[in-house]
Amino acid sequence: MNDSPGWATPGSSPSDGERQGAPADQPATGDPKWSAQQPPPGQWSSPAAGQGAPPAPPQQPQPGQGWGSYGQQQGGQYSGPYGYPGGPGPWGKPPAAKPGVIPLRPLGLGEILDGAVSTMRSHWRSVLPITLVVATVVQVISILVQKLLLADLAVSISETPTPEELVNGLGSGLSITVATKLIEFLGTVVVTAMLTMIFSRAILGQGSTVSEAWRDARPQLLRLIGLTLLLGIGLSLLGAVLLLPPILGGSVGLALVGGLAWMVLAVWLWIAFSLASPVLMLEKSGIFTAFGRSWKLVKGSWWRIFGITALTVLIVFFVSMIIVMPLTLIGVLASGTGMTGLTDGSAGTTWGALIFSAVGLIIAQTITMPMQSGVTVLLYVDQRIRREALDLELARAAGVENYGHGATGG
């Protein structure tokens, strides 16, 4: 059983029929699955006779009071007289309970991005040391690998390479890519694991130190490595199945079609399993259970999750380019090889160019890695709120009183 407050997986997955303890008239498969503690429908009531005029609209209404029915879910959004908890009422739109960086209700795009940035800003003492240390270690090792391997790789754009030189160049380039990506992979897994725990506490309004994040993440770290490797290997095998036969058969047209099909399927599967990481870390599940849970949480919301993820990737890309490109250019110009170094590519292998580029990458990754991890965690939380009423469990874990009770409830 998961021992993380508020993150326990429901008795059954969101697409497996009725939840344990749910009422008999619970919606059928495909509709939101609410927990047994779903608040009963309520209505805004006027003051009893003799009590005088109603008071001014409250700035912070008590959670669970006067929110009415949850309504039904249509197109991924809540409908009904008041929408979602904290939705509009006769006095406007009182805010939902917000013990931490996000309100406990279905989240919009802006709230997901703002929650990621707010966590970075309010918990920077825990977030930035993790990303800074990991990014620095990764880039130092990458510099050494690139310097050793690139020294043997001579690239000239002014001459036509022979087939043997082309094969050697591709082999050296592939070796560099594999080595650097493996280092980045291990660093990213560590950062993802620790940041997931920090974000989970930030949602509950709790702080987290680096040592606490490591302690919470360490038991699941090997499983997260296995999950990420399994997903990468699976996508690579899919590409091999679609690309190798036409390539070996010498059919360029079929190879292009296979490559396009592989890209489409890879993106689709990547989004379908994009929530497996927070499932694994927060629900303390196994690898294949995490894949299954992610599949069911994403089902029916694939395009929404894809859009938010793609926008996050674009933001991260442009922020990284703004930071990395100027420093890389400075390093290349300061390499001392002049225009010859720029034309034959040797400028990129000098210590100055590699160091300046690494400094830019360290700064960029220190800023962007928390945002990517935060958006993934908040998408997971958002889907569980929409599908499983996770907001009720989180509110109780955060100590929000009377959350989930009707207007007349005790």
Side-chain angles (χ1 to χ4, degrees):
M1 179 63 67
N2 178 15
D3 57 358
S4 300
W7 300 105
T9 181
S12 62
S13 58
S15 301
D16 285 340
E18 295 185 347
R19 296 273 308 276
Q20 182 179 1
D25 58 348
Q26 189 174 2
T29 302
D31 290 336
K33 299 297 185 285
W34 304 111
S35 66
Q37 292 82 12
Q38 179 183 354
Q43 300 293 335
W44 292 91
S45 57
S46 57
Q51 291 183 354
Q59 296 299 318
Q60 284 287 351
Q62 189 176 20
Q65 298 286 336
W67 281 342
S69 172
Y70 277 96
Q72 299 294 322
Q73 189 181 38
Q74 299 176 352
Q77 301 296 330
Y78 286 84
S79 63
Y82 304 111
Y84 45 75
W91 290 326
K93 188 176 181 180
K98 188 178 179 181
V101 294
I102 59 169
L104 298 183
R105 56 170 171 75
L107 304 174
L109 168 62
E111 290 169 325
I112 290 176
L113 296 176
D114 179 71
V117 175
S118 296
T119 303
M120 293 167 55
R121 184 174 61 248
S122 57
H123 298 272
W124 64 269
R125 289 181 178 85
S126 301
V127 172
L128 294 186
I130 294 173
T131 55
L132 179 61
V133 170
V134 172
T136 301
V137 172
V138 168
Q139 292 307 316
V140 168
I141 298 176
S142 295
I143 287 177
L144 298 177
V145 171
Q146 292 180 67
K147 185 62 179 176
L148 293 175
L149 294 180
L150 284 175
D152 299 328
L153 180 61
V155 178
S156 175
I157 62 174
S158 61
E159 299 177 0
T160 302
T162 64
E164 183 179 356
E165 291 174 340
L166 183 60
V167 170
N168 291 335
L170 290 175
S172 298
L174 183 61
S175 300
I176 295 171
T177 301
V178 170
T180 55
K181 291 303 179 182
L182 179 60
I183 297 167
E184 292 178 7
F185 163 75
L186 294 175
T188 301
V189 168
V190 173
V191 169
T192 300
M194 297 180 69
L195 291 183
T196 297
M197 311 316 298
I198 292 176
F199 274 94
S200 68
R201 290 179 176 236
I203 291 169
L204 301 176
Q206 302 171 0
S208 181
T209 63
V210 175
S211 60
E212 289 173 339
W214 172 250
R215 182 195 62 201
D216 294 340
R218 185 175 55 188
Q220 292 291 97
L221 195 56
L222 289 179
R223 288 183 178 179
L224 183 59
I225 293 175
L227 182 146
T228 310
L229 279 176
L230 188 59
L231 181 57
I233 293 172
L235 295 178
S236 299
L237 290 177
L238 177 63
V241 169
L242 293 175
L243 289 173
L244 283 181
I247 290 176
L248 295 177
S251 176
V252 178
L254 288 178
L256 292 176
V257 173
L260 180 61
W262 176 67
M263 290 176 61
V264 172
L265 288 174
V267 171
W268 183 71
L269 291 173
W270 186 269
I271 297 300
F273 296 130
S274 62
L275 304 185
S277 172
V279 167
L280 184 90
M281 297 303 301
L282 298 177
E283 297 180 15
K284 311 300 183 186
S285 67
I287 294 175
F288 293 102
T289 301
F291 279 131
R293 285 278 293 149
S294 177
W295 181 280
K296 292 177 180 179
L297 287 173
V298 172
K299 185 178 180 181
S301 301
W302 190 94
W303 282 107
R304 179 175 181 272
I305 295 175
F306 168 76
I308 295 174
T309 303
L311 178 60
T312 304
V313 170
L314 285 176
I315 293 173
V316 167
F317 173 77
F318 284 115
V319 170
S320 299
M321 289 299 99
I322 291 173
I323 297 172
V324 174
M325 290 303 294
L327 289 173
T328 301
L329 182 59
I330 292 173
V332 170
L333 295 177
S335 62
T337 58
M339 293 302 297
T340 303
L342 292 176
T343 56
D344 63 14
S346 61
T349 65
T350 62
W351 283 110
L354 291 174
I355 290 174
F356 272 93
S357 178
V359 170
L361 287 171
I362 289 172
I363 297 173
Q365 291 176 354
T366 300
I367 297 172
T368 59
M369 281 195 294
M371 185 173 183
Q372 286 183 297
S373 298
V375 168
T376 301
V377 172
L378 295 180
L379 279 172
Y380 160 79
V381 173
D382 176 59
Q383 286 302 108
R384 285 201 62 184
I385 288 176
R386 293 170 183 268
R387 301 288 181 89
E388 302 166 358
L390 181 66
D391 54 319
L392 300 177
E393 298 297 331
L394 295 180
R396 280 190 281 271
V400 179
E401 297 182 358
N402 298 324
Y403 187 89
H405 293 280
T408 60

